[in-house]
Amino acid sequence: MMRLRPAIVFLFLALASLPARAAEDTKLPYFASMKGETTNMREGPGADSRVKWVYHRKGLPVEVIASFEVWRRVRDMDGEIGWIHVALLSRERMAVVKGEGQAGVHDRADAKSDVHAEAKPGAVGRLEHCAAASCEVKFDGAKGWIDRTRLWGVNGGEQF
């Protein structure tokens, strides 16, 4: 009986950690961002799957749409879908400026407030807050509110 006790304790600890890991992806889809400067998107969930795309942009957001073990099926802002290892992703919320022309970075969530900076399409920033019509984004050189229709990396109606 003494030999079984360590095995039972180990099994209990292993099973106790499962709900926490499973709960991480229960609310699909969600947005994540790329941890490193180089990230491979693969055709399937495995290191032996062919590399579909190589991203060279830290912080680039992706939408996680499915999970399989340590792999996440993601969609990028261009609609490309593939698999990325979970170790290469962060739960830090980032956004990309989209659309034509520069986006005004406002002092407040009010679109009529002063514009103190401009963000070019393709600029990546950290999402701080999102209200109904705009999100507060922190870029390297500026922080302020941008119309949410100009951002990719946040769902319609999502507020935080």
Side-chain angles (χ1 to χ4, degrees):
M1 187 69 174
M2 293 297 276
R3 290 184 142 176
L4 290 178
R5 188 169 286 165
I8 291 171
V9 170
F10 175 77
L11 180 62
F12 175 78
L13 291 174
L15 291 174
S17 69
L18 285 177
R21 284 189 217 140
E24 177 183 338
D25 291 330
T26 54
K27 294 182 181 181
L28 293 170
Y30 65 87
F31 284 95
S33 57
M34 297 183 189
K35 279 186 184 177
E37 295 294 334
T38 303
T39 304
N40 291 335
M41 175 193 276
R42 298 183 177 274
E43 288 184 342
D48 57 342
S49 292
R50 188 174 78 80
V51 174
K52 187 173 181 179
W53 290 101
V54 179
Y55 297 92
H56 297 282
R57 190 116 186 240
K58 183 177 180 176
L60 196 65
V62 290
E63 184 178 24
V64 177
I65 56 176
S67 71
F68 176 74
E69 296 176 357
V70 295
W71 294 90
R72 300 298 176 261
R73 189 165 193 223
V74 301
R75 177 183 300 117
D76 71 12
M77 70 179 289
D78 295 323
E80 290 292 331
I81 295 176
W83 294 85
I84 297 177
H85 193 282
V86 69
L88 302 175
L89 297 173
S90 168
R91 293 297 291 254
E92 184 175 26
R93 292 297 300 271
M94 305 293 280
V96 177
V97 176
K98 65 180 185 173
E100 298 295 321
Q102 296 190 18
V105 180
H106 296 264
D107 291 332
R108 296 184 314 277
D110 179 7
K112 294 179 182 177
S113 67
D114 291 339
V115 173
H116 65 269
E118 300 271 329
K120 293 181 181 179
V124 176
R126 182 165 35 101
L127 285 172
E128 301 281 318
H129 301 93
C130 280
S134 61
C135 295
E136 186 178 26
V137 183
K138 183 177 182 179
F139 298 98
D140 284 337
K143 179 179 177 181
W145 293 84
I146 297 179
D147 185 318
R148 71 186 302 141
T149 63
R150 295 296 310 270
L151 298 172
W152 192 88
V154 62
N155 289 322
E158 180 182 21
Q159 296 185 34
F160 56 92

